[in-house]
Every structure is written in structure tokens, then in C-alpha cells.
Amino acid sequence: MNQNQFEKLPFDKKLEWYENNKKKKLEKLFINVNDKINNIYDIIDNGFPKGYDPCIVEIKHLLRYHLGNLMVVTGYSFHGKSHFIEQILCGLMCFDKLKIGYYAAESQTFLTFQRAIEIINANKIQHLNKEIVKATAEFLQNKMYVVNSDEGLLTQEKLFNHINVAFDQEGVDFFLIDNASTIEDLATDDKQGIRKFLNGLKLITKEHKKTIIVVAHPTKPMGPTQLIDGYKISGAAEWFNLVDVGLTVFRDFQKKVTTISNWKTKNYWEGVIGDFDINFNNDTRRFGLDQSPMLKFAPAKHQIPIVSIDTSDFEEETPF
């Protein structure tokens, strides 16, 4: 079966293929240092993996995005955590040519695509013409693997199946789960259940050497909202202890500023612990100073190029 034939298979057939081939892999329970010494030599010779820069240049000093990690992004409702991580993922698609998977069950699936189109073009959808939307959609056709959640929520088992197929067969590099509370059989206040869930995700990231990002809500604040870390996520210590990277997005509505807090990065070469204040532009739907489109599209054939006119020789007060 060639790649073109495989891509036309329904999801259940792809899953069956993945499970059958997984069983064929030989497992070795114990590993000696000599089995991995070349990996260590490679770091000595070539340095640590570079990873990917965030498209928000102001937070480059906080962290880079690496494959093989389990990340969590938390923050209170309406503080921008989903929008922040979606902007990062759009940057990975546009600048690094990576493929992104989404299970975003809080919204209808068309809104997941719409938000990506807005972020990429730095403009609200009602201000974009259909030619730009179409061109962006054509780019996203092979960059976004979106799980259809319009007909109901997924269980952990079904979600894990989708992620395995996305990584193994669809070429996905980063997979976003937004958010943990939309998984049908996951009780976010059950520590044992959270531990099992996170360990299951970590096994997938290690097997495929790909990254999973989970958006998770914090517990209800006692009083005014404050900048929090992973211990405030529902299921508390399990989230802080088991993830590789942990971020918080916190919006101060009075000061009109958003803080991005990196409260955990397990590997020292991937980032540093710290906070950074950043602004959100509601018109462009983007964080940070760079408000330019992530992609440049050629104008449609029927569009007439606009040439600016030099008015330096005109009087300041023109009659029109």
C-alpha cells in the first residue's frame, strides 16, 4: 500500500494499521549505557537540540519549544491561555513548517480554523477578504489535524488513539488538548485519574518523540485572581510533578497587561524559570509587538496593484 492509498483510508483502518504494527516492535526492558552512549556523544559534538523559537519574540528568553515534551498551559477563564498557545502553534506552522493536531472540544471545529486564520493574518475574520481566507485555508489544509468533536466529547482511550494516529501516520509534530475538562471520562479533581492520564500522555510523547500540550483550568480562586503556578491546577501536585514544561497566562485587567509565567522547564537547556509581561491587541488577535501577518500571499489576478503617491511637495492642508 502506497502513501496515497493509505491517506484515503478511514480513521479506524489507520488505527488498526498502527496497532498491528506496534505489536510487531520488539521491546527491550533494560538498557545499558552503551546502548545510548552515541546520543550523549552527539550532544558533546553538536550541542543540545535547538528546538523552535516562539513566534512571540519577547518571550524567546523564557523557553524554546522542543519535541518529546508534555506541556501544560493554565490560567483563569478569559485570561487568554488558549489564544496564547494557539498563536505559538500558528507560528510553528507558518515559520517552521510543522504540522499541528488539535482536540479543542470547547468550541465548534470551524472556530478552531477561524481563529488560526485570524492569528496568521493578524486581523479579525470580518475584515479579511475571501481570497486571503481561501489562501490561508489552503495552507492549513495540510498543517492542521483537527479532531471532530462537534458530535460529542472523546474518552481518554479514543483521544489517545487519535493522538497516536496523528503522530504515527499524519505527520503531526505538536498536539494540543484544549482542555482537559472536555475529556468525557476524566475527572480533573481525581488525583489518581490525573496521574494515570498524564503518565499515558508521557508514554505517547516518549514513543513518538513528539510534543503534547494540555490546557488545564486552575481551581476556583479564593478572592481576587492572582498569578498562579502548576500547584493551583485542579489535581494539583500531579500536574506540577509530571509535566516537562508548565506555563501560566495571567491577565491584569486593570493594568491591561498579560503575564506569561514559565514555572517549570525540566531540561535546563530548553528554558528558564521566570515571568514576562506582554500586551494583547484585540484588533489583530495577537500577543506581542509583531503584528504583521505570518504569511504573505500573492494578490488575486483581478486585484489592481496600489501605488502610493508622493505628497511631499503638496501643501499640508489639502482641499480633500
Side-chain angles (χ1 to χ4, degrees):
M1 182 186 304
N2 59 38
Q3 184 65 27
N4 186 46
Q5 292 172 320
F6 181 83
E7 290 178 353
K8 294 180 180 179
L9 290 176
F11 174 77
D12 58 340
K13 293 296 183 182
K14 290 180 180 179
L15 178 61
E16 182 181 350
W17 189 96
Y18 169 76
E19 292 292 345
N20 290 337
N21 281 270
K22 182 180 178 182
K23 293 175 183 177
K24 295 177 183 178
K25 296 179 181 178
L26 297 177
E27 294 185 0
K28 183 179 179 181
L29 298 180
F30 296 96
I31 296 178
N32 302 108
V33 66
N34 285 341
D35 295 325
K36 296 296 180 180
I37 195 65
N38 287 333
N39 299 78
I40 300 172
Y41 288 158
D42 182 66
I43 292 174
I44 295 173
D45 294 335
N46 304 305
F48 290 109
K50 185 180 178 182
Y52 303 96
D53 275 329
C55 58
I56 304 173
V57 296
E58 293 91 330
I59 63 169
K60 284 185 178 181
H61 67 287
L62 281 183
L63 78 162
R64 298 173 63 84
Y65 295 86
H66 286 73
L67 295 174
N69 281 338
L70 175 60
M71 296 178 58
V72 64
V73 179
T74 191
Y76 296 110
S77 295
F78 203 59
H79 278 233
K81 57 186 179 299
S82 295
H83 209 97
F84 166 78
I85 199 60
E86 286 178 4
Q87 183 173 337
I88 295 296
L89 294 177
C90 284
L92 292 175
M93 286 189 286
C94 294
F95 302 130
D96 300 294
K97 310 306 179 186
L98 301 182
K99 189 171 183 178
I100 309 300
Y102 291 79
Y103 172 66
E106 277 194 328
S107 302
Q108 296 180 64
T109 50
F110 86 89
L111 289 174
T112 301
F113 292 110
Q114 176 182 310
R115 285 198 301 270
I117 293 171
E118 289 181 325
I119 292 170
I120 289 171
N121 290 288
N123 213 335
K124 292 180 178 179
I125 197 70
Q126 62 266 38
H127 299 150
L128 294 171
N129 62 51
K130 289 185 178 180
E131 287 81 4
I132 290 294
V133 172
K134 181 180 179 181
T136 312
E138 289 175 352
F139 169 80
L140 294 175
Q141 181 66 25
N142 295 314
K143 293 296 180 184
M144 290 183 70
Y145 175 98
V146 178
V147 177
N148 184 6
S149 57
D150 290 341
E151 297 178 359
L153 304 179
L154 297 185
T155 62
Q156 292 181 67
E157 180 182 4
K158 290 182 178 179
L159 178 58
F160 285 7
N161 287 340
H162 272 286
I163 297 174
N164 278 316
V165 169
F167 285 158
D168 193 70
Q169 302 303 325
E170 301 293 342
V172 167
D173 301 288
F174 285 75
F175 195 101
L176 174 65
I177 302 172
D178 187 7
N179 59 68
S181 62
T182 61
I183 301 170
E184 189 175 44
D185 58 347
L186 179 65
T188 55
D189 58 351
D190 176 10
K191 291 188 177 183
Q192 296 293 338
I194 291 295
R195 182 185 297 117
K196 182 179 179 182
F197 169 67
L198 293 178
N199 279 326
L201 293 179
K202 285 182 71 70
L203 286 174
I204 295 175
T205 62
K206 291 176 70 175
E207 177 185 354
H208 297 284
K209 296 181 177 59
K210 302 294 181 69
T211 290
I212 297 174
I213 305 170
V214 185
V215 174
H217 290 306
T219 55
K220 186 177 180 180
M222 302 297 290
T225 58
Q226 297 178 333
L227 182 63
I228 59 172
D229 61 20
Y231 285 120
K232 293 297 184 180
I233 303 175
S234 185
E238 314 307 313
W239 289 98
F240 197 105
N241 294 337
L242 293 177
V243 300
D244 301 302
V245 178
L247 303 175
T248 295
V249 179
F250 176 78
R251 182 176 296 174
D252 189 320
F253 290 94
Q254 290 185 335
K255 296 179 179 179
K256 296 183 179 180
V257 65
T258 297
T259 299
I260 308 299
S261 177
N262 178 10
W263 43 264
K264 182 179 181 181
T265 297
K266 187 175 181 180
N267 297 319
Y268 65 87
W269 63 87
E270 296 184 3
V272 295
I273 305 305
D275 305 339
F276 189 85
D277 291 341
I278 199 168
N279 291 316
F280 178 73
N281 188 315
N282 185 57
D283 293 327
T284 63
R285 313 303 295 158
R286 294 264 286 274
F287 288 97
L289 295 176
D290 185 1
Q291 300 293 319
S292 59
M294 294 180 177
L295 297 175
K296 295 182 180 180
F297 300 106
K301 292 182 179 180
H302 65 272
Q303 291 179 329
I304 300 174
I306 298 175
V307 180
S308 60
I309 300 174
D310 183 3
T311 60
S312 58
D313 294 332
F314 295 172
E315 294 181 3
E316 291 186 1
E317 296 183 2
T318 56
F320 51 83

